[in-house]
Amino acid sequence: MRPELIEATHLVTYQPSRAHKLMAGDQIKNVIMYWAEGEISSFIKVWLSAYISLFYCYFSGKILTGGVTRLACFLPVVCLFLLLPLQLHSMHLGGVTAFFLAWLTNFKLLMFAFNRGPLANPSISFPRFLAVACLPIKLIQHNPHKKTEENETSITPKYAHRSIKNYAMKGLLLALIVKIYSFEEYIHPRLILVIYCFHIYSALEIMLAIAAAMARSLLGAELEPQFNEPYLSTSLQDFWGRRWNLMVTRILRPTLYIPVLHWSTGLMGRDWAPLPAVMSTFVVSGLIHELIFFYLGRVKPTWEITWFFLLHGVCLNVEIAIKKVVNGRWQLPMAVSTILTVGFVMVTGFSLFFPPLLRCGGAERGLAELFAVGTFAKDVARVVGLAVN
């Protein structure tokens, strides 16, 4: 985060009494101008550059046939999308941009280069092309009489609709977690990490629910589910394949897992071909997570995150091998397997995944940004209320 943003955040967040005295008239205008000229301005420029680049990709796809030629035309855009997140410094705007452009959009463009993936629909309009390229959405099919089998690049599990009560409970949980951070000095660091896990999960679920409603109403599109109750996972295969970060699973499956699976089938046979496919997927996922964390912290990678994914890839392969040998003749009770799975994920996450994020001050910066925006909104509302009255 830039020094001036840290200073402004410190003023708004940690000195609320002083901020309430200063924030009036010109001060409100100065803060608005600061945000418009600072990170928000960079954010707008980054996404305008992304939209212009995608405009180029959309019409290049109309002219060029899929293959090496189209890939060569897309590669400069892929490189640009790897550089654009470096223009942002905040956890929220920078993190979202890095995840969507450097990972999600780039992988979709690589699939589109070979006429595969959600962007390869020849009838897709440019606004929908932009939305599908940048966001985790799938277009709603309006032909109920046509029942076709979903191909391997568009497999979408069927989930029960999340109830309003479900999201309300997650909202209350998130509010409680934010309040708990005020007493952080009295809480054991390990417990803080557990709370941080629930914070990330609850926040993402709520934000994606809001985005789903907007996508459905504005674009006639459905947001791809990101999570499916991961705390109920009964195995690593269940956790990574059907419950956690499903958007990434759908991207890595057609771009990496299936090609490696086809290649390894000829070498190892169909029964054991998934093992190298799984391992290669986890290796690439680890490297991309290292890149995302570099965007967030701008510090030299320690490779702990890569080791986290390598460890899970190895353990998942062991799990697959054991299941093939046992062949359903014996299995753990569901309650036991859930505790073991979730416990393993949390312990390895505390040891390898979270430390790099915490060392770069990611948690503190993210909370400071949220509190700064919240306090700023309250001060603006107070001044507007006084002006109206």
Side-chain angles (χ1 to χ4, degrees):
M1 190 183 294
R2 297 193 328 233
E4 62 268 26
L5 182 55
I6 295 174
E7 182 179 350
T9 301
H10 178 77
L11 171 64
V12 177
T13 304
Y14 296 102
Q15 301 181 30
S17 58
R18 181 186 175 193
H20 279 289
K21 295 176 182 178
L22 294 177
M23 295 284 288
D26 292 339
Q27 284 73 22
I28 291 288
K29 186 185 299 184
N30 290 338
V31 173
I32 293 175
M33 290 181 62
Y34 163 76
W35 280 96
E37 295 174 358
E39 188 78 350
I40 296 296
S41 176
S42 299
F43 180 76
I44 293 172
K45 292 176 183 177
V46 163
W47 279 95
L48 280 177
S49 302
Y51 291 153
I52 293 171
S53 301
L54 289 171
F55 179 83
Y56 158 78
C57 292
Y58 176 76
F59 285 100
S60 296
K62 296 288 186 182
I63 299 171
L64 303 172
T65 58
V68 177
T69 304
R70 187 187 287 180
L71 175 64
C73 289
F74 287 178
L75 282 180
V77 175
V78 171
C79 294
L80 175 65
F81 285 175
L82 292 174
L83 296 175
L84 285 178
L86 294 173
Q87 305 304 310
L88 301 172
H89 302 271
S90 64
M91 292 294 295
H92 290 85
L93 298 183
V96 169
T97 299
F99 183 65
F100 282 176
L101 289 184
W103 191 339
L104 185 66
T105 307
N106 270 349
F107 272 75
K108 287 184 178 181
L109 286 178
L110 292 174
M111 285 192 288
F112 181 40
F114 295 96
N115 272 333
R116 302 190 65 185
L119 301 179
N121 182 353
S123 62
I124 190 171
S125 64
F126 178 63
R128 289 196 169 195
F129 180 90
L130 279 181
V132 173
C134 299
L135 301 172
I137 64 174
K138 60 185 177 69
L139 300 180
I140 296 175
Q141 299 299 323
H142 294 287
N143 188 353
H145 303 292
K146 187 178 179 181
K147 295 183 179 179
T148 57
E149 215 173 286
E150 289 178 321
N151 61 36
E152 48 198 21
T153 66
S154 62
I155 293 175
T156 304
K158 305 299 182 185
Y159 301 103
H161 290 292
R162 306 294 196 256
S163 66
I164 296 176
K165 182 179 178 182
N166 183 295
Y167 286 118
M169 291 178 63
K170 286 186 170 67
L172 291 174
L173 175 62
L174 182 60
L176 178 62
I177 288 172
V178 173
K179 186 66 176 178
I180 288 174
Y181 285 132
S182 303
F183 306 95
E184 183 176 353
E185 63 270 20
Y186 305 109
I187 303 175
H188 193 278
R190 293 287 182 181
L191 184 56
I192 286 293
L193 287 177
V194 175
I195 295 172
Y196 194 54
C197 290
F198 284 102
H199 181 181
I200 294 174
Y201 169 62
S202 301
L204 285 174
E205 277 252 280
I206 292 170
M207 286 189 293
L208 288 169
I210 296 171
M214 294 176 60
R216 191 180 302 114
S217 60
L218 298 176
L219 296 169
E222 193 75 42
L223 196 77
E224 292 181 0
Q226 178 75 349
F227 300 102
N228 181 28
E229 313 295 352
Y231 46 81
L232 299 179
S233 302
T234 57
S235 66
L236 288 178
Q237 196 170 11
D238 185 33
F239 179 85
W240 290 112
R242 292 182 286 271
R243 294 187 180 274
W244 181 265
N245 220 354
L246 300 175
M247 174 176 58
V248 170
T249 300
R250 294 187 192 94
I251 289 295
L252 292 178
R253 181 177 175 82
T255 55
L256 190 65
Y257 177 84
I258 291 177
V260 175
L261 181 68
H262 289 165
W263 171 79
S264 58
T265 299
L267 297 177
M268 308 174 63
R270 187 166 183 82
D271 287 342
W272 300 104
L275 301 185
V278 166
M279 201 66 217
S280 61
T281 302
F282 274 86
V283 170
V284 171
S285 184
L287 294 175
I288 295 177
H289 275 84
E290 290 282 3
L291 177 63
I292 299 297
F293 274 52
F294 174 76
Y295 289 136
L296 295 176
R298 309 296 165 88
V299 295
K300 184 179 179 181
T302 59
W303 306 109
E304 291 166 276
I305 300 167
T306 300
W307 280 112
F308 170 84
F309 284 96
L310 288 176
L311 175 62
H312 277 255
V314 170
C315 292
L316 181 51
N317 273 338
V318 171
E319 181 182 287
I320 292 172
I322 291 175
K323 286 181 178 179
K324 288 183 180 296
V325 172
V326 174
N327 197 23
R329 292 189 296 269
W330 178 83
Q331 60 182 12
L332 291 170
M334 184 177 296
V336 175
S337 60
T338 298
I339 292 173
L340 290 176
T341 301
V342 176
F344 177 77
V345 172
M346 293 183 71
V347 169
T348 54
F350 296 161
S351 303
L352 296 172
F353 191 86
F354 285 113
L357 182 64
L358 297 176
R359 280 197 298 269
C360 73
E364 292 83 0
R365 290 164 54 203
L367 285 173
E369 291 169 13
L370 290 176
F371 284 127
V373 172
T375 305
F376 168 75
K378 289 179 182 178
D379 286 332
V380 171
R382 181 180 61 83
V383 172
V384 171
L386 290 175
V388 171
N389 295 331

